[in-house]
Amino acid sequence: MFDKLFYQEKGFFLQSFHPAAVLVYLCVFLVLSLLYENPLYLLALLFLLAFLIRGVDGMEAWEGFLKAGVFLMLMVMIINPLVIRSGATIIWHGPAVPYLGKLNISMEAMYYGAASGIRLLVLISIFCLYNQMINPDRVLKLFSRVAGKSVLMIALSTRMFPTMVRDLKRIKEVQQFRGVDFDEGSLWEKARKYSCLYNVLLLSSLEGSMEIAESMQARAFGSGKRSVYSRNMLRPRDIICTGGSFLALSAAIWGLRYGCGLYTFYPEADFLIKDSTTLIALSVVLFYLSMPLILNEGWNYCRFLKSKI
Amino acid sequence: MGTNWGFYTTLIGIFSIVLLMLGMEKKGELSTRQVAVIAMLTALCTAGRAVTGVGLLFLQPTMFLVELAGFVYGARVGFFVGAMTPLISNFFNGQGPWTPWQMICWGLVGVSGAVFGVIFPRAGNTTLTVLCFFWGYLYGAIMDIWQWSVFMRPLTFKTYFLLWAAGFSFDSLRAAGNLLFCAALGYQTVKILRYFRKKMDVQYLENL
């Protein structure tokens, strides 16, 4: 069930980038999704993300991620119109409610709720793309130089997690063979049986951790300064991707200084496209952000480009 | 729209958790046994959060374990177990910009357990259960700050209160889950954790 949500090595070009390049690229995406307020800009980011996710064959996982975000999105969309009084176009005069006052639902407040919903989808999609595009182990290795022990602990517990679930099943089976029926009895009795299960799991896993510690010590862990070895290559594709990310960020900041990407919702919603600069600024940012997609197409269809990147 | 608080709160979350984790790691050496125990407890908490998170909604046998880990093993272990639990379990439940804030909150749960352990070393299970119960609500209130700053406008106390009220039932479920699990399993857990703390402490007899 969870397999689809995780990174799988599928041999796509988009999965072959240096982890640092992908991290920079996705960070720029994250910053832009938080800085932009114009719904058009947010939608454009969402579309670009959809193309990228399709490029790594992650549409199925994306669906799962989006489903998870719908509840939060609905909550934001309902609360916003209820509390915001700044909107000018009232579409429903509601009754007076204690503490909140008169419930007047305005068009602008609903609009803002919808725009926030799009932002949430963009944020979720960024992390979905992260899960599909980059091997978590390679990211961890990137940080092992600065925070070796934290990285080791994260890697260890990620590995331990499936073992834990397997252990739980094993202990349950052993108990069942000894005659414990987990489905029988009142709620209180069931709870007591499960609490025994938990105690055994805690004891056996902590015992296991002591063995791990001893085997780590036997392999000279913590005996001196640790050495770091990295096999990640920085190729032209990574430089182009990182360069594109920085150019996109600078273009976006430059645009934001002149109001491209900003938006006023209250008292009356602004025009979605104020003038041609709005579109030009958006296309420049999108062009720089599409670098990995362009390279992906080049890799698939242009032999010359393939030989160079 | 003025200052983009959503952006700033997310950045503050990311930087704080990175600095906290680096600081906690660099300040004094973590022993091999501590590393292994932290990893194992985190895996246990992750399993609790990810597996029951889907099946039992917010009734998770996790937060009390973080709290007790802090209470028995001290602030550093409590913090690491707490901070890494959402990081890893969110690979199953959905990673997002909320992760750093969740990490801070869970880390604080562990640290609060440790602080409690220093002030009241003889605290019984009832006291710890009450603390766990309060954390159920406090966690929701802190996480609402992030959500409020990113998705709500205008940023007034009223909008925050409404957001908090919308999540109140979930917070109550979490608090009730903490209360039940800590009341039922807390005593045994502390006993087991204390037993392993004795095993972890290595004392060298230098002048033998």
Side-chain angles (χ1 to χ4, degrees), chain A residues 62-110:
Chain A
W62 195 38
E63 255 175 53
F65 270 88
L66 290 186
K67 271 181 205 156
V70 165
F71 173 73
L72 198 60
M73 185 177 158
L74 280 179
M75 205 161 82
V76 171
M77 283 177 75
I78 291 169
I79 293 178
N80 253 304
L82 285 182
V83 282
I84 291 170
R85 297 279 170 278
S86 329
T89 327
I90 307 290
I91 52 171
W92 186 62
H93 287 284
V97 176
Y99 185 70
L100 289 178
K102 213 164 169 356
L103 275 185
N104 286 337
I105 309 283
S106 71
M107 189 78 155
E108 286 78 12
M110 288 186 73

Side-chain angles (χ1 to χ4, degrees), chain B residues 183-203:
Chain B
L185 308 170
Y187 178 71
Q188 267 315 94
T189 309
V190 171
K191 221 166 128 183
I192 296 171
L193 292 180
R194 280 202 173 127
Y195 167 69
F196 280 96
R197 191 183 62 183
K198 273 185 205 156
K199 276 186 127 182
M200 268 163 72
D201 284 338
V202 180
Q203 286 166 349

Side-chain angles (χ1 to χ4, degrees), chain A residues 1-2 5-6 30-32 34-37 65 68 71-72 75-76 79-80 82-86 99-101 112 116-117 119-120 123-124 127-128 130-131 136 145-158 160-161 164-165 191 194-196 198-210 212-214 216-217 221-222 263-266, chain B residues 1-4 6-7 10-11 14 21-22 25-26 29-48 50-51 54 61 64-65 68 73 80 84 87-88 90-99 144 146-147 150-154 157-159 161-163 166-167 170 184-185 188-190 192-193 195-197 199-200 204:
Chain A
M1 171 191 164
F2 292 126
L5 302 179
F6 280 108
L30 185 71
V31 168
L32 290 189
L34 289 169
L35 283 179
Y36 280 149
E37 281 162 354
F65 270 88
F71 173 73
L72 198 60
M75 205 161 82
V76 171
I79 293 178
N80 253 304
L82 285 182
V83 282
I84 291 170
R85 297 279 170 278
S86 329
Y99 185 70
L100 289 178
Y112 183 80
S116 294
R119 173 175 297 166
L120 181 70
L123 290 174
I124 290 173
F127 283 88
C128 173
Y130 168 84
N131 270 9
R145 206 179 287 265
V146 258
K149 277 187 179 154
S150 300
V151 167
L152 177 75
M153 285 188 285
I154 293 170
L156 261 180
S157 29
T158 320
M160 229 81 92
F161 173 75
M164 197 72 73
V165 178
Y194 275 103
S195 79
C196 284
Y198 161 82
N199 284 341
V200 177
L201 181 69
L202 184 65
L203 257 173
S204 75
S205 50
L206 282 174
E207 199 67 60
S209 78
M210 290 293 144
I212 290 172
E214 273 157 24
M216 272 159 64
Q217 232 158 7
F221 177 84
Y263 198 72
T264 16
F265 286 90
Y266 309 115
Chain B
M1 293 298 288
T3 323
N4 193 336
F7 177 64
T10 310
L11 275 191
I14 295 173
M21 281 192 93
L22 274 179
E25 190 190 310
K26 301 287 174 211
E29 278 292 293
L30 276 170
S31 74
T32 319
R33 289 182 178 207
Q34 270 176 325
V35 168
V37 165
I38 291 173
M40 195 52 98
L41 284 174
T42 310
L44 203 64
C45 291
T46 308
V51 175
V54 184
F64 88 94
L65 191 56
L68 297 184
Y73 296 122
F80 270 115
M84 282 171 11
L87 179 70
I88 297 166
N90 277 4
F91 283 116
F92 305 91
N93 298 352
Q95 205 71 262
W98 44 82
T99 308
D144 281 343
W146 177 83
Q147 205 180 329
V150 178
F151 297 113
M152 303 300 270
R153 291 292 179 279
F157 181 71
K158 202 189 233 179
T159 46
F161 175 75
L162 268 169
L163 191 70
F170 292 106
L185 308 170
Q188 267 315 94
T189 309
V190 171
I192 296 171
L193 292 180
Y195 167 69
F196 280 96
R197 191 183 62 183
K199 276 186 127 182
M200 268 163 72
Y204 295 99

